[in-house]
Amino acid sequence: MPATVVLGAQWGDEGKGKLVDRIAEQATWVVRFQGGNNAGHTVVLGEQVLKFHLLPSGITRKECNLVLGDGMVIDPWVLDKELNGWKDTTGEDPRGHRLFVSERAHIILPYHCILDGQDKKIGTTGRGIGPTYADKINRIGLRFGDLAEVDGDGAWIAATAARMNASLEAAGCEDRIAEEKLAEDIAWIHAAYATSISNTGLMLDNALKLDEHVILEGAQGCLLDIDQGTFPFVTSSVTSRGNAGHGAGIHPGHVEEVIGITKAYITRVGHGSMPTELEDEVGDHLGTVGHEFGTTTGRKRRCGWFDAVVMRHAQRVNGFTGLALTKLDVLGGLEELKICVAYELDGKEILEMPASATALARCKPIYISMPGFPGHSLEEWLMIAKKANKEDVGFATLPTSAQLYIKKIEALVGVQCTSVGVGPDRDATIDRVEA
């Protein structure tokens, strides 16, 4: 069975966790292939709200194996906290049982978080992600597979602490890394994850050869991709389809289905331009009704109308085979809906995003308008979704104007919506029914 990739198609926070949790029911493996605890996934199971930053969303499915892949940067203390929380809730510690950490994944150390805290320009999460990826590119990083070699190596500890302290001093930091503490940290990480550290790429390759279903779960979104995003206001990894197999340690031929997750509007956290950003009553409506606060940082998300220019860019880069539209319910109650179909840049109409962040800041959205549709309570939306799926009627259960809105998005992006989310609950999703 081919692998399925699930990716964010905007600036992150699109609802990937909910979709992965849902489709993981038919999967044997769920794999994170990039990023670290700068990501956040929220899964709602009735009254229970689960928030994950490192653990793949498939953890709620007890039959799923979980992989933190080659392309990730992992804070072992954050992961330990999540695992302890999961154990307190369920009684299960999946380490070495169904949770496996790639021997090639890089380790976030306290030094990296201190250095990241100096950022004042990009608006990072301060979780040490960028500095850890920088060490990786500079070929001086520490991987989980290297722990056994450096644990107890006094010369390596001394040289590493000296290098870190030189970097902190150059950055104007007063903090310093003590050799004794670094040695203790390395020993603890090695002991805490020894049973989990594995050649996960080989495990996944074997699973696919046995026709097992593998989900490759992306973090952040396409517009935060280090190469294809709104540089420099991006994350430090490749968030797009091209890195899914590579970051998991398998070849791209395994991937057949690529699902792009997009909200029915658009949001962004951190610095950088967002042409359709709304600072009015509609923006307040989207933020309030949509509960738009970051899972990882708690920062208020900036909200705006759906941007087809952004989505065409995401489609070109990723080649989505289907779109999962989320939070359609949040638009309920608005009399008029708008979709950005182009930008005006310095008096000229353009159909594609400029590469320059400075130019993007000068872009003005060009909109088309569509009629709105009535709002409902979350309980009512959940009932609508359950009825639609039970009776196998798909999007036909939605108001006519909502159906037209979905069709317009499909036409503008050039990809069909495979599902539509109408609430945070796992079951508040309507699957497409082919005519």
Side-chain angles (χ1 to χ4, degrees), residues 107 109-112 115 135 140 142 156-171 173 175-178 182 186:
I107 298 172
L109 294 168
Y111 153 79
H112 297 111
L115 204 57
D135 277 4
I140 55 175
L142 176 65
W156 182 90
I157 294 290
T160 301
R163 173 180 57 80
M164 290 177 171
N165 288 330
S167 295
L168 291 172
E169 183 176 4
C173 296
D175 300 88
R176 293 294 181 266
I177 304 302
L182 178 59
I186 298 301

Side-chain angles (χ1 to χ4, degrees), residues 116-133:
D116 201 17
Q118 300 303 297
D119 169 66
K120 298 295 186 291
K121 178 183 177 183
I122 305 302
T124 74
T125 59
R127 302 303 199 264
I129 309 299
T132 308
Y133 274 117

Side-chain angles (χ1 to χ4, degrees), residues 3-7 19 23 33 213-218 239-241 244-245 255-260 318 320-321:
T4 298
V5 179
V6 177
L7 300 172
L19 179 73
I23 65 176
F33 63 84
H213 188 196
V214 175
I215 297 174
L216 305 178
E217 177 184 29
T239 64
S240 301
R241 174 181 184 167
V255 175
E256 185 172 285
E257 185 178 23
V258 183
I259 303 174
N318 293 288
F320 300 126
T321 58

